[in-house]
Amino acid sequence: MTIEQELVKKLRSSNLRPTKQRLEICRVLFDRQKTFHFTISDLAQILNEKSKNKISLATIYNTVDVLKSKGHLKEISINSDKTFFDTNISNHHHFFNENTNELTDFYDEDISQIKIKKNIPGKKIKSVEVLVKVANNN
Amino acid sequence: MTIEQELVKKLRSSNLRPTKQRLEICRVLFDRQKTFHFTISDLAQILNEKSKNKISLATIYNTVDVLKSKGHLKEISINSDKTFFDTNISNHHHFFNENTNELTDFYDEDISQIKIKKNIPGKKIKSVEVLVKVANNN
DNA sequence: ACAGCAGTTTAGAATCGTTATAATGTAGAA
DNA sequence: TTCTACATTATAACGATTCTAAACTGCTGT
């Protein structure tokens, strides 16, 4: 399947018609090798630089919201200034570089196995994610 | 030392004069047995109910910001709608109940020891915190 | 192919949390 | 008590996000 077909499929599976705006957004999000961490304004800026006819902010918000609710994007909370999203939707962990505000993914194989020894009655664990904050020594 | 003296000390150590508004805020925050998780609007509402003369939102924001920057409060990021604060400033972990949006603390003794097997060159780990999302089974 | 409609995009207004402003009030040192 | 630097306040400003309603378009049925 070509990338373009993948993108269309992703949109259709979210009950979104593959319009040119949405495809443009999806290309930025998903047509890349590495995980992409972004805010709406990052994305809007990239889209503006990339294409001649600009896409309305409302469309960007709507598309990202739907992609998120359908599980194609994940929201990550590091600080509360802005909402970050992640194209890596697997259960994974983050390094947060306090000096540069950069995020780096890491996976279960990079951490010792985590066992939670306490539970909340009547509740089931849905996810376990670790946030490691790092900074320069000085 | 009485609670009231503790509160005054906490304010003075933050370079804040112990005014009646600030003391009122600190009583709500720190004069309690259990950890308190709150948003600014939670706090504002409690303060309004509690005392006759209401405290300006600006004062609440300023006081909380300073207390946070001086390490008497901790900011926690769960979702990005609102900024949450925590009176528990120790390194600890959270359960987030997706059904009720409630937060519960848990500590290192409630989890297996965590070893990070990867590192970021030139950076030092400042904190490791785990977020466990839980929800009803159905 | 194309008409028609449901779904989409858009600019701009509205909203909400948070921060800034500037006038008035007050804690605390002398 | 007086004075000054710090605090408080109401309100304005701001920025991210959501809403609105009018114009536009993909897609289905013909």
Side-chain angles (χ1 to χ4, degrees):
Chain A
M1 203 185 296
T2 68
I3 293 265
E4 206 69 7
Q5 286 172 320
E6 298 264 16
L7 299 180
V8 170
K9 190 176 150 198
K10 205 160 273 195
L11 286 171
R12 291 232 184 268
S13 75
S14 305
N15 294 317
L16 292 177
R17 285 182 186 166
T19 64
K20 68 180 194 304
Q21 291 90 340
R22 286 172 180 162
L23 279 168
E24 196 66 29
I25 292 170
C26 284
R27 270 181 221 114
V28 172
L29 294 181
F30 303 115
D31 187 4
R32 52 174 74 228
Q33 301 308 313
K34 286 181 59 180
T35 288
F36 182 36
H37 298 123
F38 65 97
T39 64
I40 294 289
S41 63
D42 294 337
L43 181 54
Q45 197 183 326
I46 293 171
L47 286 164
N48 273 335
E49 289 166 1
K50 196 179 170 154
S51 78
K52 33 276 141 218
N53 34 356
K54 87 180 214 335
I55 298 176
S56 156
L57 254 189
T59 301
I60 300 176
Y61 272 103
N62 288 339
T63 304
V64 167
D65 284 351
V66 176
L67 288 172
K68 178 193 148 198
S69 75
K70 299 295 179 175
H72 294 298
L73 289 174
K74 201 167 162 176
E75 189 176 334
I76 41 186
S77 300
I78 304 304
N79 60 25
S80 52
D81 313 1
K82 279 184 172 179
T83 303
F84 277 82
F85 295 91
D86 193 339
T87 55
N88 182 348
I89 56 173
S90 70
N91 193 304
H92 66 284
H93 315 291
H94 290 105
F95 284 113
F96 178 66
N97 184 332
E98 294 186 338
N99 300 113
T100 63
N101 280 21
E102 254 177 322
L103 274 179
T104 313
D105 288 351
F106 71 95
Y107 297 87
D108 284 340
E109 59 262 30
D110 300 316
I111 192 171
S112 55
Q113 206 192 7
I114 297 174
K115 265 199 210 70
I116 310 294
K117 300 177 188 167
K118 194 183 175 184
N119 64 348
I120 304 276
K123 302 288 169 186
K124 205 182 161 184
I125 289 178
K126 293 294 178 183
S127 68
V128 175
E129 300 207 351
V130 180
L131 176 62
V132 179
K133 292 189 178 171
V134 302
N136 293 334
N137 282 307
N138 50 48
Chain B
M1 202 185 298
T2 67
I3 293 263
E4 205 70 5
Q5 286 172 318
E6 299 262 17
L7 298 181
V8 170
K9 190 175 150 199
K10 204 159 275 198
L11 286 170
R12 290 232 183 267
S13 75
S14 305
N15 293 317
L16 293 177
R17 286 181 184 165
T19 63
K20 66 180 194 306
Q21 290 89 340
R22 287 172 179 161
L23 279 168
E24 195 67 28
I25 292 169
C26 284
R27 271 181 221 114
V28 172
L29 294 180
F30 303 115
D31 188 4
R32 53 174 74 225
Q33 302 306 313
K34 286 181 58 180
T35 288
F36 182 36
H37 297 122
F38 65 98
T39 63
I40 294 289
S41 64
D42 294 336
L43 181 54
Q45 198 184 326
I46 294 171
L47 285 164
N48 273 337
E49 288 166 1
K50 194 178 173 160
S51 77
K52 32 275 140 217
N53 33 356
K54 89 179 214 331
I55 299 176
S56 157
L57 253 188
T59 301
I60 300 176
Y61 271 103
N62 288 339
T63 304
V64 167
D65 283 350
V66 176
L67 288 172
K68 177 193 151 199
S69 74
K70 298 296 179 177
H72 294 298
L73 289 174
K74 199 168 163 173
E75 189 175 332
I76 40 184
S77 299
I78 303 304
N79 61 24
S80 52
D81 314 359
K82 279 182 172 180
T83 303
F84 276 82
F85 295 92
D86 193 338
T87 55
N88 182 349
I89 56 173
S90 70
N91 193 305
H92 65 283
H93 315 290
H94 290 106
F95 284 112
F96 179 65
N97 183 332
E98 294 186 338
N99 299 113
T100 63
N101 281 20
E102 254 176 323
L103 275 178
T104 313
D105 288 350
F106 71 95
Y107 297 87
D108 282 340
E109 60 260 31
D110 300 316
I111 192 170
S112 55
Q113 206 191 8
I114 297 174
K115 265 198 211 70
I116 310 293
K117 300 176 187 169
K118 193 184 177 186
N119 63 349
I120 304 276
K123 302 287 168 185
K124 207 183 158 182
I125 289 178
K126 294 292 177 183
S127 67
V128 174
E129 301 207 352
V130 181
L131 176 62
V132 178
K133 292 190 178 169
V134 302
N136 293 333
N137 281 308
N138 50 47

